[in-house]
Amino acid sequence: MNYIIVSSLVKESRYNSESRIKELITVWSSQASLSQRTGRAGRTSHGICWRLCSKDFADKNLLQHTLPEIVRTPLDELILQVCLLYEQRRDLSHSTQGSQGVMPMRFLLSTPTPPSKKNHNQACHHLHEVGALDIVDCGGSNDDCYRLTPLGYHISKLPTDAKIGKLLIIGCVLGCLDNALTIAAALSCSKSCFVRSSRDRQLDPNRIEARDNLIMNGFGGTVKGDLIAVVAVFRSWQTQSNRTNDDALLTTCCLVAGLYPNVCTLIRDSKSGKLLTKENEACQPSSDSFQRKRVKYASQTGRDAYAVYHAKYQTIGVTSEAQNQPRIFLSEVNFVNKFTLLLFGGDLELANNALIVDGWLKFKVDGNKEKSKGGDLNNAVLILSLRKIIDDLILEHVEQMIMVDIHKRTIDTIRLLIAQET
């Protein structure tokens, strides 16, 4: 190439640690990037490079170098590896003396371009919510110390995001690993496995109808969601629809355990069908979600009150008009019932006859109408007890890799409880 035209603008991935929103935004190139692109014009002979900005503008406004990924991407996986190295060092030294935890920020401060403490704290908080990290006492230090939980130890060994790693582990415990692996594979792809109609490609209406029927009824028809649709299609492709270990109800438990705290509720009487996240953000399913019509219908009828999602994305507003303001979309929306959230979601708190998940999702527990309010309270206590049994089951399975009869009976109880609510 002898002639190069450089726009001086690039698409760059950015990450908001507070809202956990990934954004692909347009930014000015760095001066180092412009120099690299200029070199393409003269590799084999003399060439000319045109930059669509003045030299004075570039010198005054462009960064010397592109921001490193450590300051613009999630820190979850890096922090897990730091904590894993600490555990391995303790094992090699055979010592239990000294610090009982690690401060990941101290390690990150030694990097050439350290991330902000705010990003570090948000990542540690998220890993604590997932159940991968425990906060421990570091002997009077003002900074929090962390240690890997047994679950976190296994997640750190997996080359995946923490939420997907937990989804796989819970899938193994509940006996639906095949479905969990299918979901993990789908989430690792940047594009949907479903082909959409476009101006250049028109799909056969008969195929569209067959696809929609498969999505609605291909996995027992008991639960609905974008990721459940992926499992249904993959099972159909394998022609193994009669396999006994393909349990849609338990697969939704894996989704809640893996994707939590990415939970949203329906905004009632919303004409466009919107969802409200834990951060109090009004969102919509992404354009390729099969749940857009379902969300709109459910928000008007009061059905399907809760859902989990994989990630949030924000558009870039181009004008000041209301319809062109930045909007937040949710990818891979999957409807779940309240028992999956109570049994596999965040911390539970009992308040009168209601159970509160992480201080924001409130579920009223109904008892037998012929009995007093004590029946409601007893049911709430039973759910708390079952949650404790499930947490112990997961811990025992992760630590000892065993499945005994009481574990199998617990899984059967989970399936029956969720089936009654579906």
Side-chain angles (χ1 to χ4, degrees), residues 15-29:
Y15 177 73
N16 187 319
S17 60
E18 286 188 348
S19 61
R20 301 192 68 81
I21 293 177
K22 297 177 182 178
E23 301 173 317
L24 187 64
I25 62 176
T26 302
V27 298
W28 289 104
S29 299

Side-chain angles (χ1 to χ4, degrees), residues 45 48 81 83 89 116 144 180 194 220 222 224 228 243 251 275 318 320 357 379 397 406:
S45 62
I48 299 174
Q81 294 306 309
C83 293
R89 186 175 64 180
S116 68
D144 288 332
F194 296 100
T222 54
K224 303 294 188 298
I228 294 296
R243 292 176 60 184
T251 302
L275 300 160
V318 295
S320 59
V357 181
N379 285 341
H397 193 82
I406 190 173

